[in-house]
Amino acid sequence: MGGKKITIQDIKQAKKDHRKLTMVTAYDYPFGLMADEAGVDIVLVGDSLGMVVMGLDGTVAVTMEHMIHHIKAVVRGCKNPLVVGDMPFMSYNTSVREAIINAGRLMKEGGCDVIKLEGGVDFAPIVEAIVKAGIPVQGHIGLTPQTASALGGFKMQGKDTQAAKRIVDDARALEDAGVFSMILEAVPAPLGQIVAEAVKVPVIGIGAGSQVDGQVLVTHDMIGLFDKFVPRFVKQYTKIRPT
Ligand code: KIV
């Protein structure tokens, strides 16, 4: 396949050009390769692999070793897309030093291009330190699955004015901390638009309406390969598992 390697500059430029970004998850070589061949901009090796690949109830038990193992496989299939490695729960939450070391491990041992972590205002200092260490960071706000139990479950976020304002503050804090883009998960569509307009970096939505700068979906949801549930906002293109 031809094409050119997508860079973080390309991702930022897409927003300026009003070009919507495409992003999907992959956890192994063949899915990385298919995303590459389909011309997807960004491939996320998400810690959702705990649920859709390992059969766990959530993402909390996913380790650095799991992530590095899967990132390595995806990277082998992805020539052009920007590959994002997801920081697992508690790999960046205890100290700035540990966060930088673990972010570096995902890139050095896994081979991903950039990392992603969950959290807004409270995690901005950690994001800033990782970016200063030379590692590009994608943020993740709104519904943050690693702390879903603290948020009362896998629920829509930002439904009242105060909660919506907090999410806009999170987005601004991440932008100030130096993220090159951010994921916005499970918020009402009008809030998705407000957040996308509040920052200059691309806001990539998942269940955040259509007025954001791109969409990300968990591939296993999109193709009907995950047996437990299908989030309401997911467009299913096929159902691989017979029901
Ligand atoms: O882990 C993941 O797949 C994610 C997406 C839901 C954005 O974080």
Side-chain angles (χ1 to χ4, degrees):
M1 294 288 289
K4 117 181 197 319
K5 178 76 188 172
I6 308 273
T7 65
I8 61 171
Q9 285 70 30
D10 296 326
I11 301 302
K12 289 184 185 169
Q13 188 61 39
K15 179 158 184 162
K16 293 187 187 138
D17 295 343
H18 306 288
R19 180 177 77 79
K20 299 274 186 185
L21 289 158
T22 54
M23 177 167 176
V24 294
T25 62
Y27 314 102
D28 57 19
Y29 171 74
F31 276 83
L33 189 61
M34 283 192 286
D36 182 281
E37 289 171 350
V40 163
D41 293 306
I42 310 175
V43 171
L44 169 65
V45 189
D47 65 351
S48 51
L49 70 85
M51 298 170 81
V52 302
V53 174
M54 296 166 69
L56 299 168
D57 285 337
T59 57
V60 165
V62 174
T63 66
M64 282 292 295
E65 276 59 42
H66 295 142
M67 291 309 306
I68 289 168
H69 173 83
H70 287 274
I71 291 168
K72 276 182 177 168
V74 171
V75 163
R76 288 184 200 114
C78 284
K79 207 153 58 94
N80 294 330
L82 189 81
V83 179
V84 183
D86 216 358
M87 297 280 284
F89 185 52
M90 284 299 147
S91 66
Y92 56 93
N93 317 58
T94 53
S95 72
V96 167
R97 180 182 145 78
E98 206 173 345
I100 295 173
I101 290 172
N102 284 326
R105 283 192 68 200
L106 291 192
M107 284 181 83
K108 279 163 72 95
E109 298 174 43
C112 56
D113 301 306
V114 302
I115 64 100
K116 170 171 94 58
L117 59 80
E118 295 180 8
V121 170
D122 294 343
F123 283 85
I126 289 186
V127 168
E128 192 171 350
I130 297 174
V131 172
K132 280 200 175 131
I135 299 172
V137 178
Q138 183 173 60
H140 184 156
I141 54 173
L143 172 61
T144 45
Q146 292 173 4
T147 44
S149 49
L151 297 173
F154 286 85
K155 286 188 186 152
M156 172 91 77
Q157 301 296 306
K159 287 209 292 199
D160 60 57
T161 313
Q162 255 191 342
K165 189 183 166 307
R166 273 200 301 273
I167 290 175
V168 175
D169 290 345
D170 283 338
R172 290 199 172 120
L174 287 182
E175 178 172 50
D176 290 346
V179 298
F180 71 92
S181 77
M182 65 189 82
I183 304 293
L184 177 62
E185 181 164 355
V187 300
L191 178 57
Q193 180 169 2
I194 290 168
V195 173
E197 286 171 2
V199 292
K200 291 200 176 68
V201 295
V203 173
I204 302 176
I206 172 163
S210 60
Q211 300 307 306
V212 284
D213 305 308
Q215 299 290 332
V216 53
L217 282 177
V218 171
T219 301
H220 287 47
D221 292 336
M222 238 172 21
I223 61 172
L225 193 52
F226 184 51
D227 59 315
K228 304 255 168 58
F229 58 86
V230 185
R232 256 186 305 159
F233 53 80
V234 168
K235 177 166 178 189
Q236 268 200 331
Y237 291 83
T238 182
K239 280 181 198 273
I240 286 193
R241 289 185 79 254
T243 45

